[in-house]
Amino acid sequence: MVAYVEAMMKNNIEKIFYRILLAAGMMLLLTGCGLAEQVQELKSEIMQKETEVRKKERPAKKKKSEKKQIKETEVVLESEEPASTETESVADKTIAEPGNFAYRTLNDTEKQVYNEMLTAVLEHKESVEVSALDEDTLETAYKAICADYGGLFWVSGYIYTQYTQNGEPTGMEFSPKYTMEYEERVRIQSQIDASVEELLAGISITDSDYEKAKYVFEILVQNVDYDASAQNNQNIISAFLNRATVCQGYACATQYLLKLLGIESVIVTGNANAQSHAWNLVRLDGEYYYMDTTWGNSRYLDNSSQTEKYVNYNYLAITSEELGRTHTLDESFPLPECTSMKNNYFVRENLYFSEWNPEAVGEILRAAWNDGGRDAAVKFSSQGLYKQALEYFIVQQHIADYCDSISSVYYLEDEESYVITFHFL
């Protein structure tokens, strides 16, 4: 609800309207707020200059399936109070990093505002003047921050105050909406650091880009359940501390871990299965791919299955064309066309077929069957090959030619990805 507060000026002619608007970017769930003290302090000056001061508050868009929220911090402050000089140096360094994809898509003014807003959030400041003169610039910069940083778990949106004179904007003030006090933030960050250290124990910064992406994909699916009722499911607290989250939490955690491993990653939002959704754009060996960790959890797409949760690799390092079969981007910022298949999971693991070769596919099934019945998944380059494989191995039951004494098999069809996954029972 928007409330208007009217105050009579000395001459009983001019009126000042304060409007509270809570702006949440694309991924925030916000609460109400009060008027900024700065507005009150400027009241006499505003009256003299016949200036309107408007404070606005916009409720965030709450997505149907709780898919959106705010993101990441690499900063762990150890002092009892925010150390502005240290935080500024970290913020400046972070913003200058080439890995901040969304930041690079901004124009010069938006980059300046991004820097100002991010510094305020990292320093836990109550408010800061920014270079923006309109709410669209503020929102664009904030969305970019949310996309670049998956771990800003202590903030959930912002309030802005807009100053105008003679109907023209003259300045803006940005006030982050914090969900906790600074001391609690430091305590929780310490807990997250311990959890992250445990999760990343099996990977090295010297490993290849593909190995890092695959490891993060696997470790999150294996250790974090999909649960729409999980607390803090819009931020990394849910993923790293509660080990239960939704797509926003998965995307934030994925970006957070990859960045620690030196992999450029950004959080992408849009729709999938007619619901709001979040996933990641990643850069591996200089080329861009999409990865959807949420869809890597087999229980998310097949929650009625009697099989245990397993890692579904169908959405690990895929192209724009493949993603477009099931996902729709909201295009909050420009995104590259992803065309490379070099670091696609199935290509890297020699499970990808661009021509009909039943013997090679059969050998993959044989190896999985002889290895104690482990899962086996194969991907085809076209719908025709995919259907041919289903007909040959399932309908005509040629799987028995390669798996001795097999009596039953559970298989999962992914018609959009052209992938068949076999679960040997």
Side-chain angles (χ1 to χ4, degrees):
M1 176 179 293
V2 178
Y4 291 88
V5 181
E6 180 177 329
M8 298 300 296
M9 291 185 171
K10 291 181 180 180
N11 58 10
N12 295 320
I13 296 176
E14 297 294 335
K15 296 179 180 178
I16 301 176
F17 293 90
Y18 302 91
R19 184 192 302 175
I20 308 250
L21 175 65
L22 193 59
M26 280 288 299
M27 16 183 117
L28 312 165
L29 180 60
L30 311 180
T31 58
C33 60
L35 297 175
E37 295 180 359
Q38 289 83 352
V39 174
Q40 298 295 337
E41 294 172 356
L42 291 172
K43 185 175 180 181
S44 60
E45 178 183 349
I46 293 168
M47 292 167 57
Q48 294 172 4
K49 296 182 179 180
E50 299 181 338
T51 303
E52 294 179 53
V53 179
R54 296 176 295 176
K55 188 162 194 178
K56 306 182 177 179
E57 179 179 322
R58 176 189 306 158
K61 296 178 180 178
K62 184 176 181 181
K63 307 301 180 181
K64 291 181 181 178
S65 50
E66 298 290 339
K67 303 291 185 185
K68 307 281 186 233
Q69 179 187 338
I70 168 146
K71 287 69 184 172
E72 172 206 7
T73 184
E74 301 177 273
V75 180
V76 182
L77 302 178
E78 299 179 349
S79 61
E80 288 301 316
E81 296 295 334
S84 60
T85 55
E86 291 184 7
T87 308
E88 282 182 3
S89 64
V90 172
D92 291 342
K93 180 185 179 206
T94 302
I95 291 172
E97 285 181 348
N100 284 8
F101 179 90
Y103 172 78
R104 298 200 307 270
T105 69
L106 305 177
N107 62 38
D108 290 343
T109 299
E110 292 164 346
K111 287 179 179 178
Q112 176 76 14
V113 175
Y114 176 113
N115 192 352
E116 294 162 348
M117 295 168 73
L118 179 58
T119 300
V121 169
L122 294 178
E123 292 184 357
H124 223 96
K125 288 185 175 181
E126 291 186 8
S127 61
V128 63
E129 290 187 12
V130 293
S131 302
L133 294 178
D134 62 274
E135 60 183 271
D136 289 341
T137 299
L138 203 67
E139 184 176 6
T140 297
Y142 192 70
K143 285 181 179 179
I145 291 173
C146 293
D148 282 336
Y149 290 87
L152 301 181
F153 58 85
W154 63 89
V155 62
S156 181
Y158 63 90
I159 305 165
Y160 73 87
T161 306
Q162 184 181 58
Y163 303 94
T164 67
Q165 183 173 1
N166 298 325
E168 296 296 325
T170 59
M172 297 191 80
E173 183 178 85
F174 166 77
S175 302
K177 287 291 295 182
Y178 297 116
T179 59
M180 61 188 68
E181 297 297 326
Y182 172 75
E183 291 75 16
E184 184 181 4
R185 163 190 163 186
V186 173
R187 178 179 61 81
I188 292 177
Q189 183 67 65
S190 178
Q191 294 173 354
I192 289 173
D193 291 343
S195 177
V196 167
E197 182 178 3
E198 175 188 343
L199 290 173
L200 294 183
I203 193 70
S204 169
I205 194 71
T206 61
D207 288 331
S208 70
D209 286 1
Y210 169 74
E211 290 171 328
K212 292 174 184 176
K214 179 173 176 281
Y215 181 87
V216 168
F217 194 83
E218 291 174 335
I219 205 72
L220 288 175
V221 170
Q222 292 166 349
N223 289 274
V224 182
D225 292 327
Y226 183 90
D227 185 354
S229 65
Q231 293 184 342
N232 291 299
N233 61 24
Q234 299 293 289
N235 62 51
I236 61 171
I237 293 176
S238 59
F240 295 141
L241 301 188
N242 303 335
R243 300 297 173 91
T245 191
V246 295
C247 67
Q248 185 68 36
Y250 272 122
C252 290
T254 298
Q255 193 275 341
Y256 190 91
L257 294 182
L258 287 177
K259 195 165 190 177
L260 290 175
L261 292 173
I263 298 295
E264 178 183 331
S265 173
V266 65
I267 298 163
V268 178
T269 58
N271 289 276
N273 283 347
Q275 292 184 326
S276 298
H277 195 54
W279 60 98
N280 299 88
L281 174 76
V282 299
R283 190 178 186 184
L284 308 177
D285 297 321
E287 296 179 297
Y288 287 102
Y289 303 83
Y290 286 108
M291 59 185 286
D292 189 337
T293 311
T294 307
W295 284 33
N297 183 339
S298 65
R299 302 292 292 177
Y300 174 76
L301 293 176
D302 191 23
N303 58 15
S304 63
S305 171
Q306 298 303 309
T307 62
E308 295 182 359
K309 180 177 71 173
Y310 63 91
V311 180
N312 183 337
Y313 294 98
N314 300 7
Y315 288 83
L316 173 55
I318 63 174
T319 66
S320 296
E321 188 276 328
E322 290 177 298
L323 182 83
R325 300 173 195 166
T326 53
H327 295 52
T328 303
L329 297 163
D330 65 13
E331 298 182 356
S332 296
F333 44 87
L335 291 165
E337 186 71 16
C338 304
T339 59
S340 177
M341 291 284 290
K342 292 179 182 178
N343 279 308
N344 174 267
Y345 166 80
F346 292 94
V347 172
R348 289 294 299 259
E349 304 295 331
N350 296 316
L351 301 171
Y352 180 76
F353 295 89
S354 57
E355 60 183 23
W356 180 237
N357 190 340
E359 285 298 322
V361 175
E363 288 305 317
I364 292 171
L365 300 180
R366 189 199 305 276
W369 174 252
N370 292 339
D371 192 24
R374 62 178 171 83
D375 295 345
V378 287
K379 180 180 177 69
F380 301 91
S381 61
S382 69
Q383 187 179 62
L385 287 173
Y386 164 79
K387 290 184 175 181
Q388 189 172 3
L390 281 175
E391 175 69 22
Y392 183 80
F393 288 101
I394 302 301
V395 178
Q396 298 178 16
Q397 299 185 7
H398 284 289
I399 188 173
D401 298 342
Y402 303 93
C403 304
D404 294 337
S405 303
I406 189 171
S407 59
S408 63
V409 61
Y410 171 82
Y411 65 97
L412 179 65
E413 302 178 40
D414 189 334
E415 298 180 5
E416 290 83 7
S417 299
Y418 309 150
V419 173
I420 308 173
T421 302
F422 298 86
H423 303 286
F424 297 105
L425 304 178

